[in-house]
Amino acid sequence: MPDENCIFCKIIAGEIPSTRVFEDENCVAFNDLHPQAPAHILIIPRLHIDSLDKARFEDKETVGHLLLTAAEIARESGFAENGYRVVINTNSDGGQTVFHLHIHLLGGREFVFPPG
Ligand code: 5GP
Ligand code: ZN
């Protein structure tokens, strides 16, 4: 069920504009509004799930689909061979600000580990 207060559900519905780079029956991918790398794409499920913490084993196809879609977008975008970072910020200490599960796909530069 879409959450009427969720900005990512509104992006899926087209009520908030975004630059989509990929979509299919399970997910939508679009450029982050405040990019942290030359490529910074968010991949979100069409199904509203608050966070990874709220995902359950019955969501495994949805979550797996997001991850494999991130890898496919990285290859299609041309930065897979150099490398990239995928991030799922979860809850407060994880730095999550939008509570609709999303994968950050960051590419086009080198990243340090551990992240801050
Ligand atoms: P989080 O902090 O929850 O892991 O990531 C939320 C991300 O959503 C942030 O990187 C932020 O820049 C991005 N974001 C927030 N609002 C919007 C929006 O309206 N449009 C787009 N494209 N990205 C957004
Ligand atoms: Zn949502």
Side-chain angles (χ1 to χ4, degrees):
M1 279 292 275
D3 179 332
E4 61 187 26
N5 297 313
C6 171
I7 57 171
F8 285 178
C9 283
K10 288 183 177 158
I11 282 177
I12 290 167
E15 293 163 17
I16 293 176
S18 69
T19 306
R20 289 190 188 198
V21 299
F22 177 82
E23 65 183 300
D24 65 16
E25 67 279 15
N26 292 310
C27 72
V28 174
F30 52 95
N31 289 327
D32 197 289
L33 199 57
H34 302 293
Q36 304 299 316
H40 185 172
I41 295 158
L42 300 173
I43 301 125
I44 68 175
R46 289 187 184 274
L47 178 74
H48 179 98
I49 301 170
D50 281 353
S51 69
L52 187 62
D53 183 43
K54 292 283 165 63
R56 295 293 173 255
F57 272 100
E58 56 260 34
D59 301 313
K60 65 178 183 262
E61 285 194 21
T62 302
V63 176
H65 189 93
L66 295 179
L67 200 53
L68 294 172
T69 298
E72 182 64 19
I73 292 171
R75 282 190 293 271
E76 290 290 316
S77 303
F79 55 76
E81 204 171 314
N82 277 354
Y84 56 90
R85 179 70 56 84
V86 293
V87 175
I88 304 177
N89 295 327
T90 303
N91 288 345
S92 178
D93 278 2
Q96 185 174 4
T97 59
V98 177
F99 282 78
H100 179 130
L101 175 63
H102 51 282
I103 291 185
H104 294 260
L105 170 63
L106 298 134
R109 69 170 170 86
E110 210 172 312
F111 299 96
V112 295
F113 195 84

